[in-house]
Each structure stands twice: as structure tokens, then as C-alpha cells.
Amino acid sequence: MSGLLTALLEDVRVEYVVRMESNDCVEPYLTAERLCHEMLFIEADLLAEIVEQDPTLLAARAGDLIMNRQESENPSVGVIICSNILAAALEGLLAVAVEREWLDIDDDGHVLVDEEELSQDSQYSIDVDYSTSERAKRNITLGGISKLSQIFAAAESEFLDSLQQNTRDKDAYQRALDISSDYSVFAPEDISPLIAENPLLLGLRPEDLIDDDLFDGDPPAGLIISAHLTRMMLHQMLELGVENGVLVLDSSGHIVVPDSPEDPPIIH
């Protein structure tokens, strides 16, 4: 586990004990739930550091963990990751509550929570904005070639080389698909450095880019990023195809894609 995340979870545990003891030890479950929502929707730059230290967090899925109706419909990568961190932290706080006898367990070791606490329809706001990042602004100001730019440049170079060998539009489109797939970044350990460099990637959302049959319509956070990068890469190569005269635009200015002109690129 990330050292930063370990320290943050310890802060949450300490604050939980403080709040419970200052509140006559009532509502142990709701206190834990509220506290986790207050402290564990982590701002983009810190979350990027945590993911860099622990890329396995990119395997997180939304499931039914997001207690915010608006975000649960099309959650950002950052919200998905934080909701999973929150769920694990909540479990840890309930263990603290059992240890301090604020909650009991049944014969099977399940934590017993008062029905009145569970029956409350809790809806928590999510105030973190994953579309802003001071680190991303700073890196843009510093200039230089980013890791992501290097990946895109290599893919575009290979595509342009392939155009020298064959100029048919259908072949050009297929090569663009193949190359964008070859250069897509799927492994968590490959995606995490890109997030560290540009935390704005944490603001990306599924947006129907991934086949619903995969992962039961609940894709891992990392794959959501890969899907967006694949689409961006494909779009750039198709524009290169137009510039080089092997692909054409329709009357509306859209690139004419052979065979299935209305289908967006979908990870499958």
C-alpha cells in the first residue's frame, strides 16, 4: 500500500476515535461513514501521488460503492478509486468500533449495526473537482515532452510510415485501429506514471467507450483511461490520414470511416 495512503488512513482512524469519544460513543456506523466521506475523496494531485505509489488501485471498479446518485451514473476515475479506498477504510473503522465495544459481532463474526443507523438514506456530496490540477498546470508551464506525448508521437510516426506503403482508405483506417490498439496503455504500472505527470486523467469517465459485455458494464478505473487514450490516438491518426489524402471528409467535415462511419471506437 502507498505510504501516503497508509498515513491518511491512520489519520482517519485517529479522528474516528476522537469523534466517537467526544460524542458519547453513539452512532458508530454513521460516524464512520460520514468521516470517510469527509476525508477520503482525495484531491487530484495527492491522489495521483498515491496511485503512482500503488498502481493496483487502477484495478478498482465502481460497483455499488458510490453513495452519490449523480456520480454513480458515470463516475470519474478519481471517484471510483476513492470510493474503493473509502469502503476499505470503513471496514477498518468498524473493526475499531468492535474492538472498543461500540459495536458487537454475531456468532459468524459479522458486525452488528443498529437498524436505525442502516435505514438512513445517506446521500453524500462529492466536492472534489478532478478536472483541475496544480501539478498539471505546473508541468505544462515547465514545458518539455511528456510521457504521453512520446507515446502518441511514436504511434503517429509508425502510422505515417505505413502510409508510405499503402494509400488505400480502408487499409489506412484499419492500420490506424491496429496501431492505436498497439500503443494503448492498459497495464496499471504503465498508466500510473501518466497520471502522476497529468492528474487530470483522474477526471475521465466511462462515457460508453467500453463494451458493456466486458466487466459486466463496470470497467476498472485504469481501463477507462486507456479507452480515452485509444480514442484520442485513433482520432489523431485519422486526421493524419486526411492530411495525407488517404481519408476524406464528408459534407459536414467529419472523417468518412469505411464500413461503419457512425460507430465510435470502443474497447472490446
Side-chain angles (χ1 to χ4, degrees), residues 5-131:
L5 183 55
T6 299
L8 179 56
L9 293 178
E10 177 59 18
D11 289 343
V12 172
R13 188 196 68 80
V14 170
E15 179 62 19
Y16 177 60
V17 173
V18 169
R19 291 194 185 188
M20 285 296 296
E21 290 180 343
S22 65
N23 195 35
D24 297 326
C25 303
V26 299
E27 295 189 330
Y29 177 81
L30 281 177
T31 300
E33 188 177 77
R34 290 166 183 155
L35 177 62
C36 286
H37 279 84
E38 286 177 23
M39 296 186 65
L40 292 176
F41 278 101
I42 306 163
E43 60 90 21
D45 288 351
L46 176 57
L47 184 58
E49 290 187 63
I50 290 172
V51 170
E52 184 180 25
Q53 292 181 1
D54 186 2
T56 61
L57 290 169
L58 291 168
R61 303 190 203 181
D64 58 357
L65 299 177
I66 301 173
M67 300 177 68
N68 177 285
R69 290 190 183 93
Q70 183 175 354
E71 278 292 341
S72 64
E73 294 176 1
N74 190 32
S76 69
V77 169
V79 168
I80 292 172
I81 293 173
C82 287
S83 294
N84 279 264
I85 292 172
L86 188 154
L90 180 58
E91 185 176 338
L93 294 187
L94 295 184
V96 171
V98 170
E99 179 184 341
R100 291 175 174 263
E101 299 183 347
W102 298 331
L103 289 171
D104 295 322
I105 56 174
D106 62 17
D107 293 337
D108 296 322
H110 300 134
V111 179
L112 299 173
V113 179
D114 189 281
E115 186 175 346
E116 185 176 342
E117 287 193 75
L118 289 175
S119 64
Q120 296 194 32
D121 183 20
S122 301
Q123 274 292 305
Y124 294 96
S125 63
I126 298 176
D127 299 323
V128 177
D129 184 0
Y130 291 106
S131 65

Side-chain angles (χ1 to χ4, degrees), residues 59-261:
R61 303 190 203 181
D64 58 357
L65 299 177
I66 301 173
M67 300 177 68
N68 177 285
R69 290 190 183 93
Q70 183 175 354
E71 278 292 341
S72 64
E73 294 176 1
N74 190 32
S76 69
V77 169
V79 168
I80 292 172
I81 293 173
C82 287
S83 294
N84 279 264
I85 292 172
L86 188 154
L90 180 58
E91 185 176 338
L93 294 187
L94 295 184
V96 171
V98 170
E99 179 184 341
R100 291 175 174 263
E101 299 183 347
W102 298 331
L103 289 171
D104 295 322
I105 56 174
D106 62 17
D107 293 337
D108 296 322
H110 300 134
V111 179
L112 299 173
V113 179
D114 189 281
E115 186 175 346
E116 185 176 342
E117 287 193 75
L118 289 175
S119 64
Q120 296 194 32
D121 183 20
S122 301
Q123 274 292 305
Y124 294 96
S125 63
I126 298 176
D127 299 323
V128 177
D129 184 0
Y130 291 106
S131 65
T132 63
S133 164
E134 291 303 317
R135 175 182 290 193
K137 292 178 183 177
R138 182 172 65 250
N139 287 342
I140 291 173
T141 302
L142 291 174
I145 302 175
S146 68
K147 294 180 177 68
L148 186 57
S149 295
Q150 291 174 19
I151 294 172
F152 273 58
E156 291 169 9
S157 176
E158 183 172 333
F159 180 65
L160 288 172
D161 288 344
S162 75
L163 293 183
Q164 304 303 315
Q165 303 170 26
N166 194 320
T167 58
R168 293 193 307 171
D169 60 350
K170 186 172 182 179
D171 290 338
Y173 178 67
Q174 187 58 51
R175 285 197 301 280
L177 283 175
D178 292 342
I179 292 171
S180 61
S181 178
D182 290 342
Y183 281 86
S184 292
V185 189
F186 291 104
E189 59 270 20
D190 295 327
I191 300 171
S192 58
L194 305 181
I195 294 174
E197 194 171 57
N198 184 2
L200 295 177
L201 294 174
L202 294 169
L204 296 176
R205 301 173 185 271
E207 305 290 2
D208 297 325
L209 286 178
I210 301 171
D211 192 326
D212 285 341
D213 291 336
L214 286 177
F215 310 104
D216 298 321
D218 187 17
L223 191 59
I224 294 170
I225 294 176
S226 289
H228 277 272
L229 298 183
T230 301
R231 182 175 67 171
M232 291 167 57
M233 195 177 294
L234 176 61
H235 182 69
Q236 289 196 17
M237 282 189 280
L238 294 181
E239 288 188 334
L240 286 174
V242 172
E243 291 174 10
N244 285 269
V246 295
L247 292 170
V248 297
L249 301 176
D250 63 18
S251 59
S252 301
H254 299 130
I255 296 171
V256 177
V257 178
D259 295 332
S260 53

